[in-house]
Amino acid sequence: MNFPTSYTEIVNRIKNFDPSNYGQTRNHIDGNVSYLSPYISRGVISTKLIYQELKNKGYEKEELIKFTQELAWRDYWQRVWISKGEEINSDLKNKQHFSENDLIPISILEAKTQISAIDKGISTLLETGYMHNHIRMYLASIACNIARSQWQMPAKWMYYHLLDADWASNALSWQWVSGANSNKAYFANQENINQFCNSPDSKTFLDVSYSDFPLAEIPQELKELTDWNPSKVLPLPKSIEFDEALPSYIYTFYNLDPEWRKDEKGNRILILEPSHFNEYPVSSKTIDFTLALGENIEGLQLFLGEFAELKKILGQSPIFYKEHPISNHFEGHQDPRDWLSTVDGYHSSFFKFWKLVQKELFES
């Protein structure tokens, strides 16, 4: 797969996507998936824009509903982050079901778990910044429920490498798999993986029946652990040029929408705050992808520093920004995001949330 950064190509990817067989094939490694997640996560496009573009093409409810449900998952995780804040950084609902260490298996870092589909998925992630959603679930299950690692470190490792790095979606999905944000831990055996990944593996540590889970012992392939320490890869700081008499439009790692207030004259600044990336580090590949997406915004300048520093530099320039949990400390005028629906607030389960979203989009 490839991930172009031109806004025209991104919009064309939406227009060329056919959601009609998404529900039947999406869990298969070669299924019909959209490859839009990096652009949603970086705020280049919204779930609402995608839904409206596909609806305008004339797809019926039955053709749209499963893909729309997946768009709703993105909004749901973001709504949870807004409601719960830093609480999503620890077990949200329950103590993780299986946890004996707070490290990560070396075999995961090196793509040597001996589960071929998993190792291929890890290698693809490291090479491209993308991992199929089903592989993410399998890997999280192996790390948390088989190797019994606390979810935080392997979740941060995956987030670090993803072009679609979305801390809410990532952290809360890992918690869902580990049982910290769900009623039970998720397991997948080798037969399941072979079915969806077209792999031929047998006699692996997952080649067991579901009644054998949880495994009595941690497999040898997962026993060697390490403390993963990511590299810091932010670009060098640069000075910015601005007109204090004009408003300043502040873009972030989660908002690179080239259509946002594009017809208004002003200073356009992408802020990358070191404090945020120290807490949630990402790879150089992800940073480069982010900066390339920023090229769709005319006159965008990069500011590496904290918001308080930028505000002081901008002086009397009115500040505008889009809502997001990483921008809660910003000061100025906050614009709302383009959500898929008007359903907001915290819902204890996705399906309670989805029931309301589905009613609004398909039954009203």
Side-chain angles (χ1 to χ4, degrees):
M1 77 291 299
N2 67 89
F3 293 99
T5 56
S6 156
Y7 187 68
T8 299
E9 291 182 86
I10 294 166
V11 172
N12 284 339
R13 180 165 285 192
I14 302 173
K15 292 179 177 179
N16 293 331
F17 178 65
D18 180 353
S20 56
N21 70 339
Y22 174 80
Q24 291 75 34
T25 67
R26 69 186 183 91
N27 285 334
H28 292 265
I29 195 69
D30 55 357
N32 179 35
V33 295
S34 69
Y35 299 110
L36 292 171
S37 60
Y39 311 114
I40 300 172
S41 295
R42 301 285 65 78
V44 177
I45 54 177
S46 67
T47 51
K48 181 178 181 179
L49 172 66
I50 298 168
Y51 170 75
Q52 289 180 331
E53 286 282 353
L54 295 176
K55 186 178 180 181
N56 290 342
K57 289 183 70 176
Y59 289 108
E60 300 294 330
K61 172 183 175 180
E62 294 73 20
E63 297 174 300
L64 267 179
I65 196 162
K66 189 59 183 178
F67 183 67
T68 304
Q69 185 182 68
E70 292 306 307
L71 295 177
W73 270 106
R74 286 272 167 181
D75 278 17
Y76 175 67
W77 292 137
Q78 286 288 309
R79 293 291 193 187
V80 174
W81 194 4
I82 288 171
S83 299
K84 297 297 183 179
E86 292 188 0
E87 290 182 45
I88 72 168
N89 293 341
S90 56
D91 295 353
L92 190 60
K93 293 181 179 177
N94 310 302
K95 190 177 187 300
Q96 182 175 322
H97 284 43
F98 308 103
S99 177
E100 296 181 5
N101 68 83
D102 58 2
L103 303 172
I104 186 171
I106 291 177
S107 59
I108 288 179
L109 299 183
E110 297 181 350
K112 295 179 180 178
T113 67
Q114 306 308 310
I115 309 292
S116 63
I118 301 301
D119 292 341
K120 183 177 180 180
I122 295 170
S123 297
T124 299
L125 172 66
L126 300 180
E127 180 182 348
T128 69
Y130 177 79
M131 179 179 278
H132 188 282
N133 190 58
H134 220 170
I135 300 293
R136 300 185 199 199
M137 290 176 60
Y138 293 148
L139 181 55
S141 180
I142 290 170
C144 297
N145 305 329
I146 306 296
R148 306 193 177 192
S149 294
Q150 185 68 25
W151 65 268
Q152 282 94 337
M153 183 174 290
K156 282 198 170 185
W157 165 81
M158 181 179 286
Y159 176 89
Y160 178 84
H161 290 289
L162 289 169
L163 295 184
D164 68 14
D166 176 333
W167 182 241
S169 177
N170 190 65
L172 293 166
S173 295
W174 275 80
Q175 290 195 54
W176 185 88
V177 169
S178 71
N181 187 33
S182 59
N183 294 324
K184 62 180 181 179
Y186 167 81
F187 288 96
N189 67 7
Q190 189 64 60
E191 181 182 9
N192 181 292
I193 294 174
N194 288 348
Q195 176 187 352
F196 289 102
C197 299
N198 305 321
S199 53
D201 294 8
S202 63
K203 299 181 180 179
T204 69
F205 59 80
L206 290 180
D207 196 7
V208 298
S209 68
Y210 278 95
S211 62
D212 292 321
F213 292 126
L215 300 183
E217 295 183 359
I218 296 175
Q220 191 62 42
E221 293 90 340
L222 303 174
K223 282 187 175 180
E224 193 173 358
L225 306 171
T226 189
D227 184 2
W228 174 73
N229 292 300
S231 301
K232 304 297 190 298
V233 294
L234 289 179
L236 294 174
K238 297 179 180 179
S239 59
I240 59 172
E241 297 179 0
F242 67 97
D243 185 341
E244 192 171 347
L246 296 176
S248 293
Y249 303 110
I250 309 303
Y251 298 78
T252 70
F253 184 61
Y254 284 94
N255 172 32
L256 288 167
D257 179 4
E259 296 295 301
W260 177 53
R261 293 181 175 267
K262 71 173 185 178
D263 295 325
E264 301 175 21
K265 192 173 181 179
N267 310 300
R268 300 189 183 275
I269 301 166
L270 167 60
I271 184 171
L272 300 181
E273 294 187 284
S275 60
H276 172 77
F277 291 97
N278 286 338
E279 180 68 20
Y280 307 105
V282 295
S283 69
S284 58
K285 191 186 304 297
T286 303
I287 290 293
D288 290 344
F289 180 69
T290 300
L291 297 178
L293 291 172
E295 293 177 8
N296 292 298
I297 302 165
E298 186 176 356
L300 185 68
Q301 299 181 80
L302 173 65
F303 179 80
L304 183 65
E306 303 302 318
F307 177 79
E309 302 172 51
L310 178 59
K311 184 175 183 293
K312 186 175 180 180
I313 291 170
L314 293 176
Q316 298 301 310
S317 173
I319 290 175
F320 293 80
Y321 61 94
K322 268 193 180 183
E323 65 171 327
H324 194 276
I326 73 164
S327 306
N328 284 342
H329 60 293
F330 286 12
E331 298 175 18
H333 177 88
Q334 177 180 266
D335 284 348
R337 277 188 279 175
D338 292 324
W339 297 97
L340 180 63
S341 75
T342 62
V343 180
D344 61 5
Y346 175 71
H347 296 77
S348 59
S349 76
F350 169 74
F351 291 100
K352 291 179 181 178
F353 175 79
W354 169 241
K355 184 177 180 180
L356 297 174
V357 173
Q358 184 177 357
K359 183 177 181 180
E360 179 181 320
L361 296 182
F362 294 102
E363 298 173 21
S364 60

